[in-house]
Amino acid sequence: MNYERNDNALILLMNFAGVAVAYGLLAVSLWLSTDVPLATKGYWGIGIMLLTLSLINVVKYRFDSRSTEDRIRKIEEAKNEKILEEFVSDEKR
């Protein structure tokens, strides 16, 4: 399990680096574009930040949903296992 954690940390680090590079390149392109007024650049920047927040929320809610489904599945499996165990122990008596 520790091995999986290290892989996930590496993948997460690479994703954060990719996002940082994308934001950096976007900031440079907005900064260097002289034909676009500053107000429009700010509007684009705000839109990009709000889009990022929305995407983070979507991923979080999907992760929470999957986690809840896994928890329910494990509870049902434990319940079924207990029912089978009780059935087998009643049969032996």
Side-chain angles (χ1 to χ4, degrees), residues 30 33-44:
L30 283 175
S33 61
T34 56
D35 297 337
V36 180
L38 186 60
T40 305
K41 292 178 185 181
Y43 184 74
W44 288 347

Side-chain angles (χ1 to χ4, degrees), residues 1 4 8-10 15 17 19 24 28-29 37-38 41-42 45 49 64 70 73-74 76 83-85 87 91:
M1 183 161 199
E4 290 177 10
N8 288 340
L10 178 64
N15 283 322
V19 169
V28 168
S29 71
L38 186 60
K41 292 178 185 181
M49 292 306 294
D64 288 348
D70 286 345
R73 182 182 48 80
K74 286 180 182 179
E76 288 177 353
I83 290 171
L84 285 172
E85 187 178 302
F87 177 75
E91 237 179 39

Side-chain angles (χ1 to χ4, degrees), residues 20-67:
V21 167
Y23 276 136
L25 292 174
L26 179 66
V28 168
S29 71
L30 283 175
W31 182 264
L32 295 178
S33 61
T34 56
D35 297 337
V36 180
L38 186 60
T40 305
K41 292 178 185 181
Y43 184 74
W44 288 347
I46 290 169
I48 291 166
M49 292 306 294
L50 290 176
L51 177 64
T52 302
L53 290 173
S54 297
L55 290 173
I56 290 170
N57 282 331
V58 166
V59 170
K60 180 197 175 301
Y61 287 130
R62 289 195 64 197
F63 179 77
D64 288 348
S65 175
R66 181 174 290 170
S67 176

